[in-house]
Amino acid sequence: MNAHPQALDPLQAASPRALPRRLVIGLAGQPNVGKSTVFSILTGLTAEVGNWPGRTVERREGSARIAGREFHVVDLPGTYSLTSNSEEERIAREFILGERPDVIIMLADAAALERNLYLLAELLLLPIPVVLGVNMVDVARREGVEFDAHVLEAALGLPVVPMVASRNQGVAELLEAAAAVADGRREYAPDRPEIAPAHQEVYEQVRGLVAGAVPQGIPERWAALKLLEGDREVTENAPGWLAPEAWAGVQELLRAHEDAVLDVAGARYEWIGRMVRAAVRRPKLGQVSFTDRFDRIATHPGWGLALLLAVFGLVFWVTFSVAGPLQGWLEEAVVARAAAGLGAVLGGAPAWVQGLVIDGLLAGAGIVVTFVPILFVFYLALGFLEDTGYQSRMAYVMDRFMHRIGLHGKSFLPLFLGFGCNVPAVMGSRVIESRPARLLTIMLTPFVPCSARLVVLAFLVPLFFPGSPTLVAWGLVVGNLAVLVLVGVVLDRFVFRRERLAFVMEMPLYHVPNPRTILVFAATNVWTFVKRAATVIVVVSMVIWVLVSYPGDAVDDSYLAMFGRALEPAGSVLGLDWRLIVATLSSFVAKENSIAALGIIFGSDGGTLGETLALMITPAAALSFLVVNMLFVPCVATVAAIRVETRSWGWTLASTALMLGSALFFGLLVYRGALLLGLGGGGA
């Protein structure tokens, strides 16, 4: 078992004498086997992130030119099998059957080879050659697991390459083996699993009934086995391509042999045992590995939770203490200077042109630019946790709490980071594989009071309630979290109830992370946000500028003010006059804008802002205003992030409407309650 480092240079020039055909490679494997690392090594920054056609599952693909040959690598979703139980499984097998890559590289975890080979047992039934890369052999060795690649290769009948992808060991050999198999330069005679003898005859009968009828590209033996397994998709589609008599015969066989699925799976496990029996040597009983020792703490109900909170606190601190100053620097050194430069360049232009370009377009672009440090540092932290294997433990520890409101254990990370900024929190929801759990997390994230909302709270609460600011601020934050839980329970029960999935997660061994993988992961995700969200943010910023700048010169003469006055009859129910409504609406660009708007609108009345607000806004109206602002629709950057992650304007508008409805409902509730407590009437 040798795994020597060999550098891959995606930019290496092609040989002018030999230009072999381009190879399309499908990269398959279970979650947490190092697919992302291998994909990053092969494709680098050529990687593109999109969606599978018509699906919401992320598709990553990239290219490389190595030794004069071009490779196109498609990273298939991480799956445990190729049944149709999940969208990821359906996508993986549809890609293999539909797009027919030249070769499949399947990665397996050296320490969990038996579990990983179940996917290989299914891949071998498809008409595409497979090469097996056994990754993390160094980690497995530390855990006392040894395997002989030559023995396993001889047993499987296909190339087996030992690897340490985090150190770029074995990746070149794996690619060379894949190219040799695809070109026919290397023998490929796999030992495929068969169905157990008890149902062999039934299998042959089903295969005979479907012979010549299955759609082109689908192997008959694969279709027959899937019917015996009760694969939902194949079973639903079979009546469409089978003659009625043949389908009736298949149904009769399936009804008489419902236990065939056990023999199909049992035969695969027997095949796996036979493959690894001579090739893998396990540690002696009683031997305790590092992973075992650390997991006694990391997965403990008490200590695990304490460790988790400490790690989250560290991630939170690193993200905002490192990225915060960078964000401030970008605002002053880049955005402000660009505004000054544009002001000088546009000095002779009409005022509306200057305003639209500087206060609309540049301000919107500035929001995008200043978010980059926070997102990049956040994704670095996220990539580090995932690449070490700890992220799975985080989800395990939190799952029992998050499950009560229909969330996945992984939901805790983005929700927690929402206290800093809702944008990376929404973007972070992509670590959740389940679509319903990811959507629910995205819908709930804006209910977490971000730092901008907390700034508004810290500034306004002492002005409105100088006698008890701490109690009021604490109550508002706790109230937000209570609304989050309440909305989560309601959405889980009435919207996502039927789509809840069981918690199934691989617990990989701890290992040293790969810096390149983490950097590529962070850069790719940040670039994706910039590409997809920039347009939305810039356009909305320009529209908001027009609304606050016309037709008059001041905010209280603007279209936004007119809109606020039009809403005043409805706002009065909550104790909000048009000035408080305008301040709330202005927070759509950035939450801090509500403070600036209050300063502009009430500043003209003389005195300090605090004195004016205390004089003109009653406690009941002030409390209602604060509740509404804490629950009001997310800022434009968060809305853009929701659009990016859900890829749906429907879900984006639903999230916005949910926040708006919650703000109005709880604002009304608090205002009426405050009136009953004698805290005053509407605003002056």
Side-chain angles (χ1 to χ4, degrees), residues 127-198:
I128 307 295
V130 182
V131 172
L132 179 64
V134 181
N135 193 21
M136 297 183 280
V137 293
D138 57 335
V139 178
R141 191 179 298 123
R142 284 201 301 271
E143 301 292 323
V145 179
E146 297 281 353
F147 92 102
D148 189 318
H150 298 295
V151 173
L152 186 61
E153 181 171 308
L156 289 170
L158 52 86
V160 175
V161 180
M163 306 169 57
V164 183
S166 61
R167 296 204 292 268
N168 195 7
Q169 295 177 359
V171 180
E173 290 86 344
L174 182 68
L175 199 63
E176 167 54 27
V181 169
D183 293 340
R185 293 183 285 110
R186 188 162 177 174
E187 185 179 0
Y188 180 73
D191 182 333
R192 296 185 172 89
E194 301 287 347
I195 190 170

Side-chain angles (χ1 to χ4, degrees), residues 240-323:
W241 41 263
L242 275 177
E245 298 78 14
W247 175 236
V250 170
Q251 284 184 301
E252 185 177 349
L253 287 170
L254 296 182
R255 279 195 295 269
H257 300 278
E258 291 180 341
D259 59 339
V261 61
L262 300 177
D263 269 354
V264 173
R268 287 175 187 158
Y269 284 115
E270 190 278 332
W271 174 85
I272 291 170
R274 184 160 47 86
M275 294 296 111
V276 303
R277 192 169 297 132
V280 178
R281 188 171 72 252
R282 291 278 166 197
K284 297 177 180 177
L285 290 177
Q287 183 173 334
V288 180
S289 66
F290 170 78
T291 295
D292 293 331
R293 289 194 297 271
F294 194 74
D295 272 352
R296 289 175 183 172
I297 299 174
T299 60
H300 188 273
W303 292 114
L305 187 60
L307 177 64
L308 176 74
L309 293 176
V311 170
F312 276 143
L314 184 62
V315 171
F316 192 90
W317 178 80
V318 169
T319 300
F320 293 101
S321 63
V322 174

Side-chain angles (χ1 to χ4, degrees), residues 22 38 88-89 108 165 217 221 231 237 253 361 425 445 466 488 546 566 609:
R22 172 177 178 263
V38 173
E88 288 80 4
E89 293 169 342
R221 61 184 178 187
D231 185 281
N237 292 333
L253 287 170
L361 191 151
T445 296
V546 171
L609 179 60

Side-chain angles (χ1 to χ4, degrees), residues 316 320 374 415-424 448-452 454:
F316 192 90
F320 293 101
I374 287 181
L415 289 178
F416 182 82
L417 287 168
F419 282 104
C421 178
N422 286 173
V423 174
V448 179
C450 65
S451 59
L454 294 176

Side-chain angles (χ1 to χ4, degrees), residues 312-369:
F312 276 143
L314 184 62
V315 171
F316 192 90
W317 178 80
V318 169
T319 300
F320 293 101
S321 63
V322 174
L326 285 174
Q327 189 179 32
W329 178 82
L330 284 172
E331 286 176 350
E332 295 177 6
V334 177
V335 179
R337 288 187 181 182
L342 278 174
V345 171
L346 300 173
W352 72 267
V353 174
Q354 295 183 43
L356 184 64
V357 172
I358 297 174
D359 298 327
L361 191 151
L362 182 63
I367 292 175
V368 177
V369 170

